[in-house]
Amino acid sequence: ADLRRLAVQIRKAIGLTDDKPFPVGHFIEYVLPRLYDDFALEILPKSRLGEKHGETFPNKHLMRLREDVYIGICEGDGQHRFTGMHECAHLIYHEGVPLALARRSAKNLPVFRNSEWQADTLAAELLMPYEAVKDMGAWDIEQIYGVSPTAALCRRDKIDKEVMRYR
């Protein structure tokens, strides 16, 4: 619920209605530097990041994206757009949180306290706003919000489970 409220606030703050796809590249390039004076974005080759698509250091306001991921964001690739928002979510939500500690003890944490789950959930809420997509099929979510089929199906599945839990 907290992550959903935060996503609504962020979309509202940047003047984005729920019927529009989130401008991931614009957000990274223009909004984050306005939120954090010392924000740094590093675009690195795969030889530097290896299998990691990105990494973020919230306390340093530093985001690193693999070059192919950054290009994919610019080209509107759904999977890369999700990766970009996942890294943005770490920056926004995890400043002052000892992520390394949270990851090391993740087996003992409730899922909602896991930093990776939090980043995925905030990214999903930003990219596919609940109020707009709650009654949509996965294909419509994918087409309207520019996400991958996997992200759209996962969002649909989580919403369905949430609805079933409250019936």
Side-chain angles (χ1 to χ4, degrees):
D2 290 342
L3 294 169
R4 184 168 294 155
R5 279 191 292 275
L6 178 58
V8 168
Q9 290 172 347
I10 291 169
R11 288 181 71 93
K12 189 178 287 187
I14 65 170
L16 187 63
T17 58
D18 282 354
D19 61 331
K20 302 285 187 230
F22 198 92
V24 178
H26 177 83
F27 189 78
I28 293 169
E29 291 280 352
Y30 298 103
V31 177
L32 290 178
R34 294 182 80 195
L35 291 175
Y36 307 100
D37 290 339
D38 59 343
F39 174 72
L41 172 64
E42 295 179 359
I43 310 300
L44 301 172
K46 188 172 183 177
S47 62
R48 287 276 311 276
L49 279 179
E51 293 306 308
K52 285 194 243 178
H53 291 182
E55 61 185 4
T56 299
F57 302 91
N59 294 332
K60 295 180 180 180
H61 302 143
L62 170 62
M63 181 185 298
R64 293 181 177 145
L65 293 173
R66 216 169 62 190
E67 186 176 30
D68 61 314
V69 172
Y70 179 77
I71 291 168
I73 290 169
C74 294
E75 293 176 347
D77 178 272
Q79 181 179 351
H80 294 311
R81 285 172 36 78
F82 194 94
T83 297
M85 286 315 303
H86 174 95
E87 296 305 329
C88 289
H90 277 306
L91 185 68
I92 293 164
Y93 200 68
H94 294 128
E95 186 174 12
V97 176
L99 291 178
L101 177 63
R103 287 186 182 126
R104 251 195 317 271
S105 60
K107 291 179 184 171
N108 302 327
L109 286 175
V111 68
F112 65 90
R113 294 205 185 274
N114 178 286
S115 61
E116 293 303 311
W117 180 90
Q118 292 169 344
D120 280 346
T121 299
L122 182 54
E125 291 287 346
L126 286 164
L127 289 169
M128 302 166 276
Y130 176 81
E131 286 301 322
V133 304
K134 67 183 180 184
D135 296 321
M136 283 184 188
W139 189 87
D140 289 327
I141 294 170
E142 176 189 347
Q143 296 303 306
I144 294 168
Y145 294 99
V147 296
S148 69
T150 302
L153 284 167
C154 185
R155 184 73 167 141
R156 181 73 263 147
D157 184 54
K158 286 184 179 184
I159 289 171
D160 290 345
K161 286 179 182 172
E162 187 176 318
V163 169
M164 293 301 288
R165 189 171 48 236
Y166 292 111
R167 281 192 174 169

